Amino acid sequence: MSEGLRYKVRAADEAGVRAAAKVLREGGLVAFPTETVYGLGADARNDRAVAAIFEAKGRPRFNPLIVHFRHLAAAAEETVFDSRARALAERFWPGPLSLVLPRAPGSRISLLCSAGLDTLAVRVPGHESAQALLNACALPIAAPSANPAGRISPTRAADVVAALGERVDLVLDGGPCPIGLESTVVDMSGAAPRLLRPGAVTREELEVELETLESGEAEGPLRAPGQLASHYAPEHPLLLDALRATQDQALLAFGPNPPRGAARTLNLSVSGDLREAAANLFAFLRALDEAPVSAIAVMPIPSYGLGAAINDRLARAAAPRDA
Ligand code: TXA
Ligand code: MG
């Protein structure tokens, strides 16, 4: 890491959080930890600052951003909560759930965050450093995951520095993200709630609160562009549901007694624990991507609970790419 970059990384202590808040108030970009992944944050009311996020990520303009708030009351100033949305927020916030809601009339959130839609995705993160930053800057923070568009999301400050270092004004280092997968996204703006992206709040948990929950893309215009097929893509091809790996492949294992013979093996969870596997997923994909192999073989992961979100990310990482 160059001297310049080292200087930009600040521990998420009081002084670091104060410095980061100042950067945000001045319209700069701050990468910060949340319980899910690191976000690339900017003042959500500042059009130029939000535009700089898109530029830094190389993100297609039509992909909207999640805006982070201190608490439900702050989110409710910018979006319209019906009783179902309020029930979800009260149950799961602060935490890894993003709600897509109609923009409130008179909302001052940059229209770029909505990317042409009449909705806004909002979330109240639970991570201590994210909360400290939101309190210190007293701004809503627009933040996508802090990775170049289409690449693996960062779960450690070093991942952000490696991928976006030059393009961020300050990186707040709060250690590895405890969950390691992006938030669950639920669209509450239509007639029926719709699960747009599986995540740490599981379908099973949501169904306790909701009478119906549709899945995936709604008909009509693109509602969750993050659902573009190829995403989270490592450099090496990914082979899913692998039961063995050859000596020129790396193996992303799960559970006890993985097959032998791979050039390099990392086990998401020897005991088969899905939380542990989620927390390790992106860091292990990055590590195996560095190995001089022809492909990364991935063992089957069960699809219940957090496994649904893990398999969603793996399917996207394995999807055919344009470039
Ligand atoms: O855990 C997370 O959600 C992280 C941390 C930093 O909070 N953020 C994150 O942001 O994953 P991003 O931009 O990488 O993913 C946001 C997803 C995308 O799939 C996007 O298309 C969708 O949410 N989204 C955002 N606003 C939306 C809207 N108004 N309508 C539909 N989908 C939306
Ligand atoms: Mg992302």
Side-chain angles (χ1 to χ4, degrees):
M1 202 188 298
S2 75
E3 274 308 308
L5 284 177
R6 212 191 307 274
Y7 181 70
K8 278 193 199 177
V9 181
R10 297 284 304 258
D13 53 18
E14 232 184 283
V17 166
R18 249 197 326 268
K22 181 162 183 281
V23 170
L24 288 176
R25 279 196 303 266
E26 290 169 354
L29 295 185
V30 169
F32 66 99
T34 78
E35 67 274 40
T36 57
V37 299
Y38 274 76
L40 179 62
D43 174 358
R45 294 192 178 132
N46 180 331
D47 289 319
R48 276 166 172 261
V50 175
I53 294 179
F54 286 95
E55 209 167 38
K57 276 185 70 94
R59 179 173 203 158
R61 285 291 152 142
F62 53 75
N63 202 347
L65 304 178
I66 296 172
V67 181
H68 299 66
F69 295 88
R70 278 188 277 183
H71 41 51
L72 170 54
E77 287 173 20
E78 310 290 352
T79 49
V80 181
F81 283 74
D82 64 11
S83 57
R84 294 168 313 181
R86 192 165 283 276
L88 288 183
E90 283 170 355
R91 167 75 182 80
F92 295 108
W93 282 357
L97 175 69
S98 298
L99 297 175
V100 173
L101 299 172
R103 287 176 70 102
S107 166
R108 288 193 292 144
I109 300 295
S110 168
L111 290 168
L112 285 172
C113 296
S114 296
L117 304 171
D118 48 15
T119 55
L120 193 66
V122 295
R123 126 169 157 88
V124 174
H127 194 283
E128 201 188 334
S129 306
Q131 276 290 337
L133 182 60
L134 284 161
N135 280 306
C137 69
L139 294 167
I141 303 178
S145 50
N147 51 284
R151 293 294 173 185
I152 301 172
S153 294
T155 55
R156 299 164 306 187
D159 300 335
V160 180
V161 174
L164 292 175
E166 304 291 342
R167 296 167 171 268
V168 187
D169 297 303
L170 191 150
V171 179
L172 205 53
D173 186 351
C177 300
I179 293 174
L181 286 180
E182 303 84 351
S183 63
T184 303
V185 181
V186 181
D187 184 353
M188 299 297 293
S189 69
R194 184 172 286 272
L195 178 61
L196 296 181
R197 180 173 73 181
V201 172
T202 62
R203 164 175 275 281
E204 294 88 327
E205 289 175 300
L206 290 166
E207 281 174 342
V208 173
E209 305 293 325
L210 295 170
E211 266 170 41
T212 59
L213 181 59
E214 320 249 308
S215 267
E217 203 66 44
E219 296 288 322
L222 194 59
R223 295 191 66 89
Q227 298 206 113
L228 293 172
S230 173
H231 212 92
Y232 311 103
E235 302 283 340
H236 294 320
L238 232 60
L239 311 172
L240 301 185
D241 294 321
L243 297 174
R244 58 187 64 82
T246 56
Q247 57 188 16
D248 65 337
Q249 294 172 349
L251 179 67
L252 188 62
F254 179 80
N257 311 317
R260 292 162 184 274
R264 180 152 190 230
T265 297
L266 288 175
N267 199 327
L268 289 170
S269 172
V270 175
S271 66
D273 177 65
L274 289 167
R275 288 205 172 265
E276 184 185 13
N280 286 331
L281 179 68
F282 290 146
F284 284 9
L285 275 177
R286 279 169 195 279
L288 293 181
D289 213 21
E290 306 270 297
V293 292
S294 64
I296 302 172
V298 184
M299 289 178 68
I301 315 275
S303 261
Y304 55 83
L306 255 185
I310 296 173
N311 282 316
D312 169 77
R313 305 309 189 272
L314 285 170
R316 289 165 206 269
R321 303 163 202 170
D322 298 338

